[in-house]
Amino acid sequence: AQSVAQPEDQVNVAEGNPLTVKCTYSVSGNPYLFWYVQYPNRGLQFLLKYITGDNLVKGSYGFEAEFNKSQTSFHLKKPSALVSDSALYFCAVGLSGNTGKLIFGQGTTLQVKP
Amino acid sequence: GAVVSQHPSRVICKSGTSVKIECRSLDFQATTMFWYRQFPKQSLMLMATSNEGSKATYEQGVEKDKFLINHASLTLSTLTVTSAHPEDSSFYICSAFPSGGTSYTDTQYFGPGTRLTVL
């Protein structure tokens, strides 16, 4: 069965410091991985995705993620955090079979303090 | 960019009444939309796949007679919560593919969500 895990419920980082939000996955076949961000009482906004190719994926708002096949990870990173980055972050994996369905991780709250 | 809207953004209703939530793709056509449910501080749970011109397909454990889905056009899907009860209170989010088809490599775009409170 395909699954996504985000091992940290919350990540705290000081503004200006680098941030990492962790995600590991379990899939059969090639993984298709996504990161979304959710601000309070809002829907999800797409940040980036990995389908194939370069393991380092660059996305919106200065975020990037590194696909690591051997560690089955897809951690989200940003070199310098902003207070406005504080939000709920979801990692997701696309299910095979061309259904378009996504399986989401449990989410990680990022808190960036000034 | 691809924009998905939902209406209403917030609704409060009495127990036993029905509530309809609309999901619209504003600048693209969407053959397929998805409906999710999210409890506070929890992940999204896929409820059903809404297919234009055909019946929705529901995930295991989701009552299709309670959560009626209609995808009457390429830009509109509706979710009707019938005979709502307090346990149906939740945040409902829809998503859609701008390509008009579905592929597990495509990017879904999400609506802003609808907060349903059943008294």
Side-chain angles (χ1 to χ4, degrees):
Chain A
Q2 304 194 160
S3 64
V4 176
Q6 294 177 242
E8 303 156 314
D9 289 336
Q10 181 158 328
V11 170
N12 298 310
V13 65
E15 187 175 30
N17 284 359
L19 69 87
T20 298
V21 182
K22 296 180 180 178
C23 171
T24 59
Y25 64 89
S26 174
V27 302
S28 54
N30 294 322
Y32 300 96
L33 299 159
F34 301 79
W35 274 103
Y36 285 87
V37 60
Q38 184 181 33
Y39 295 97
N41 296 310
R42 301 291 299 276
L44 276 65
Q45 295 179 30
F46 170 74
L47 283 178
L48 51 80
K49 67 180 178 182
Y50 172 82
I51 304 302
T52 187
D54 194 348
N55 289 343
L56 184 63
V57 180
K58 293 188 181 297
S60 306
Y61 313 119
F63 284 93
E64 58 188 28
E66 186 168 10
F67 170 66
N68 188 316
K69 189 173 183 178
S70 63
Q71 297 186 5
T72 62
S73 67
F74 189 55
H75 301 332
L76 181 69
K77 299 181 180 183
K78 187 173 183 180
S80 179
L82 299 173
V83 172
S84 58
D85 291 330
S86 299
L88 183 58
Y89 290 79
F90 288 101
C91 182
V93 61
L95 295 181
S96 60
N98 214 30
T99 63
K101 295 180 181 180
L102 293 177
I103 299 297
F104 285 86
Q106 62 267 44
T108 298
T109 298
L110 173 65
Q111 190 73 38
V112 181
K113 297 186 177 180
Chain B
V3 179
V4 176
S5 71
Q6 283 184 241
H7 178 79
S9 58
R10 186 182 296 266
V11 58
I12 301 173
C13 68
K14 293 182 179 180
S15 185
T17 61
S18 294
V19 174
K20 181 184 285 187
I21 302 170
E22 294 184 347
C23 176
R24 293 183 184 273
S25 54
L26 297 185
D27 49 3
F28 63 94
Q29 294 183 332
T31 305
T32 300
M33 293 182 176
F34 296 97
W35 285 97
Y36 295 85
R37 184 173 180 176
Q38 184 181 30
F39 291 102
K41 297 188 178 182
Q42 293 189 27
S43 189
L44 279 72
M45 182 192 77
L46 179 64
M47 299 175 64
T49 304
S50 174
N51 302 297
E52 188 271 334
S54 64
K55 291 183 178 180
T57 54
Y58 292 82
E59 296 301 302
Q60 191 172 8
V62 178
E63 299 176 62
K64 62 180 180 181
D65 293 331
K66 176 166 212 38
F67 299 101
L68 299 179
I69 291 173
N70 183 278
H71 195 150
S73 77
L74 287 172
T75 60
L76 174 64
S77 174
T78 60
L79 168 68
T80 301
V81 183
T82 62
S83 186
H85 289 94
E87 57 266 29
D88 298 324
S89 298
S90 192
F91 195 52
Y92 293 88
I93 304 175
C94 70
S95 70
F97 285 98
S99 60
T102 58
S103 165
Y104 50 93
T105 63
D106 287 345
T107 299
Q108 289 183 37
Y109 291 91
F110 287 78
T114 296
R115 174 76 59 194
L116 171 63
T117 303
V118 185
L119 303 177

